[in-house]
Amino acid sequence: MLAAHKVRVITHCRNTMGQRGVLGIRLQPNHPADDAAGILLSAFDGLLYGCGDAVIGVNPATDSVETVSAILHALHRLIEAYRIPTQACCLAHISTQLKAMERGAPVDLLFQSVAGTQKANESFGISLPMLREGRERVLEHYWHRKDWCAKAWESSALSTDHQITSSPGHEVPNVMYFETGQGSALSADAHHGVDQLTLEARAYGVARVFQPFLVNTVVGFIGPEYLYDERQIVRAGLEDHFMGKLLGLPMGCDVCYTNHAAADQNSADNLLILLTAAGCNYFMGVPCADDVMLNYQSTSFHDGLAVRRLFNLRPAPEFLAWLHEMGIYKGGELAQIDGSTRKELAAGLDRAMK
């Protein structure tokens, strides 16, 4: 924890993540039927708690081009309606996202799960050349987009390159988002007899090549077959964060567990606090900590707010300025929203849903 806390990895897309004193939250408004109105309403709820600076990221129930396109367009309308300095992502397979982009869907962050062996990545239907091509295509997509969202990163870009950006001529946004997790290679029978911890470190080696904006381990998602109980989940979460930071990754964590694991919300809260003390870049914000689409338990909007208060942390600076501008925050803290402000905020949601 102490070593990881010393390492800060700063990345930049439409806002800036990873600075000391900043704790980001991925707003995760999943819906079991991929209903756009339900997704937007849930996202709106999370924004009122100051969540969503890391990304507004939706796991689609159906991995189809039509569904992914609809979700990306809906999230884009929400961001445009409120001019939110954040990024959207639909966590489908990389090939589905790129096909949606070809059909005109706005892609801010390109997502993919990655593992620590070639065989495991092949089981995900990916290769390193595919990831490289995807990143290049999304960067090209950025240069050709004319909307406010694509250009917002320019107005808040730093004067020097970020730690994991190597572009001597000009700022390049970090446009990749990766998820990992101990046990992924084992679950695919692609571990070659190597232990989970070593293979997780190899997955981070894959991720760092592509200069990602976000990387997080989904530490308890695969289940007790790979991380049996709360002690193993806590240990793995701290290990993953430490390894990621050592390798120069903007490391977050989905502090989570499945309902058949020997874990509960108390142990999740313990890991959340330990990782916050260790300097974790971001966590998940799931309505009531219960993902109704993926059927697992994570951390809630309230949890993110609580650990920010406990450790005197704040959202990403551009996002924090927006929260103040919208009246959601006042004096660096969540505000009591008056009736007129509520009406104005609700009007933006109505525009996004149309």
Side-chain angles (χ1 to χ4, degrees):
M1 288 173 60
L2 180 60
H5 186 267
K6 293 179 179 180
V7 182
R8 307 309 304 184
V9 181
I10 299 172
T11 53
H12 188 75
C13 187
R14 199 170 295 140
N15 59 27
T16 311
M17 292 289 300
Q19 309 95 312
R20 194 166 298 280
V22 169
L23 176 64
I25 304 293
R26 169 191 158 186
L27 210 172
Q28 186 171 310
N30 294 344
H31 192 281
D34 292 325
D35 179 72
I39 289 169
L40 293 180
L41 187 59
S42 183
F44 179 72
D45 186 24
L47 290 169
L48 296 181
Y49 283 92
C51 300
D53 51 344
V55 64
I56 305 176
V58 175
N59 299 85
T62 303
D63 194 316
S64 70
V65 176
E66 293 74 20
T67 296
V68 170
S69 295
I71 291 172
L72 288 171
H73 280 295
L75 295 177
H76 179 73
R77 292 196 303 273
L78 180 71
I79 291 172
E80 281 270 307
Y82 293 103
R83 299 181 74 82
I84 311 170
T86 191
Q87 34 286 318
C89 184
C90 186
L91 284 73
H93 190 271
I94 184 173
S95 60
T96 311
Q97 296 169 77
L98 291 173
K99 287 176 183 175
M101 189 177 75
E102 288 173 4
R103 297 187 186 182
V107 174
D108 300 338
L109 291 179
L110 186 63
F111 168 81
Q112 183 56 50
S113 295
V114 294
T117 71
Q118 181 177 335
K119 186 178 178 183
N121 283 321
E122 287 172 352
S123 76
F124 292 160
I126 62 166
S127 64
L128 300 189
M130 182 186 293
L131 296 176
R132 187 173 297 108
E133 179 189 351
R135 177 178 180 271
E136 291 170 356
R137 288 175 61 184
V138 172
L139 284 172
E140 183 179 2
H141 173 65
Y142 258 78
W143 309 141
H144 289 92
R145 282 172 65 177
K146 303 298 183 183
D147 54 45
W148 169 82
C149 290
K151 299 301 179 185
W153 66 270
E154 293 178 349
S155 63
S156 57
L158 302 181
S159 59
T160 58
D161 282 345
H162 308 289
Q163 281 181 263
I164 65 169
T165 301
S166 54
S167 50
H170 59 279
E171 284 292 331
V172 174
N174 304 111
V175 296
M176 301 297 287
Y177 174 19
F178 294 118
E179 285 192 334
T180 68
Q182 288 193 36
S184 57
L186 180 58
S187 67
D189 192 25
H191 55 92
H192 305 290
V194 181
D195 67 275
Q196 293 182 178
L197 183 62
T198 299
L199 294 183
E200 182 72 358
R202 286 173 56 88
Y204 300 154
V206 171
R208 69 179 296 184
V209 172
F210 302 100
Q211 303 172 1
F213 180 67
L214 302 171
V215 179
N216 65 258
T217 172
V218 191
V219 69
F221 183 73
I222 303 179
E225 298 82 5
Y226 308 95
L227 293 172
Y228 176 69
D229 57 15
E230 60 185 57
R231 291 186 179 185
Q232 292 189 13
I233 292 172
V234 167
R235 185 208 71 225
L238 294 172
E239 288 172 344
D240 293 353
H241 176 248
F242 171 68
M243 293 189 300
K245 285 292 181 67
L246 280 186
L247 286 168
L249 290 177
M251 204 67 196
C253 183
D254 187 349
V255 176
C256 62
Y257 61 96
T258 57
N259 290 314
H260 63 305
D264 57 26
Q265 209 62 43
N266 293 314
S267 58
D269 289 345
N270 290 339
L271 179 55
L272 177 68
I273 290 170
L274 289 170
L275 281 169
T276 305
C280 193
N281 278 30
Y282 67 97
F283 299 109
M284 306 298 127
V286 177
C288 299
D290 182 14
D291 193 304
V292 295
M293 194 283 282
L294 291 173
N295 292 311
Y296 80 117
Q297 311 304 311
S298 185
T299 48
S300 69
F301 304 151
H302 306 75
D303 293 330
L305 180 63
V307 290
R308 278 174 174 166
R309 285 175 170 172
L310 280 171
F311 289 87
N312 194 29
L313 300 171
R314 60 190 183 275
E318 303 91 341
F319 193 81
L320 180 60
W322 175 82
L323 289 170
H324 279 97
E325 180 185 338
M326 300 299 292
I328 299 171
Y329 264 51
K330 185 177 181 181
E333 281 285 337
L334 196 67
Q336 290 286 340
I337 301 176
D338 59 38
S340 61
T341 303
R342 286 180 185 276
K343 278 190 175 181
E344 290 178 19
L345 291 170
L349 179 62
D350 186 56
R351 291 194 301 273
M353 287 187 174
K354 290 180 179 178

